[in-house]
Amino acid sequence: MNGGACAKQIDQHAGDGGNAGHACGGCGGNGGALLLDGPAVCELLSIGLSTLYAMDRSGELGPMGLKLRGRRLWPRRELEAWVDSGCPRREKWLGIWERRQSA
């Protein structure tokens, strides 16, 4: 398992169904957001922003994210699946994620 990225389990917000707009106090109000920006990903994974971008550059962060109107965003569902899979490096994660999507 990789350093701090997997140290904290993602809070699934039991009972709220992942609905946007909830006020749990622990997720910055992004509990239902489909796409997360860097700070929201950092909060979700309990890592710092510079660590997130270093992990992304090195391939330690499995999900690649996407650019949308000049912003780097990561799909919440993919991040959660990545953590559930043990936080594999990108080269391994891309195969795992592709198989999950085609199943």
Side-chain angles (χ1 to χ4, degrees), residues 21-54:
H22 72 280
C24 70
C27 67
N30 288 321
L34 296 175
L35 297 173
L36 303 176
D37 63 6
V41 172
C42 290
E43 188 170 333
L44 192 68
L45 300 177
S46 295
I47 59 175
L49 195 57
S50 60
T51 300
L52 173 68
Y53 289 122

Side-chain angles (χ1 to χ4, degrees), residues 9-19 22 31 76 80-81 83-84:
Q9 287 294 320
I10 294 174
D11 179 4
Q12 298 294 328
H13 300 291
D16 72 2
N19 294 326
H22 72 280
R76 172 185 290 276
E80 290 174 346
V83 170
D84 288 344

Side-chain angles (χ1 to χ4, degrees), residues 8 27 36 62 72 92:
K8 178 181 174 189
C27 67
L36 303 176
R72 186 78 165 167
K92 184 175 180 181

Side-chain angles (χ1 to χ4, degrees), residues 2 13-14 16 20 22-23 31-33 43 51 58 67 70-71 75 87-88 94:
N2 297 329
H13 300 291
D16 72 2
H22 72 280
E43 188 170 333
T51 300
S58 73
K67 281 271 198 165
R71 294 176 61 204
C87 305
L94 293 176

Side-chain angles (χ1 to χ4, degrees), residues 71-86:
R71 294 176 61 204
R72 186 78 165 167
L73 301 169
W74 286 267
R76 172 185 290 276
R77 189 169 60 105
E78 186 177 359
L79 287 165
E80 290 174 346
W82 175 69
V83 170
D84 288 344
S85 296

Side-chain angles (χ1 to χ4, degrees), residues 39 48 50 56 60 65 72 102:
S50 60
D56 190 40
E60 188 178 356
R72 186 78 165 167
S102 63

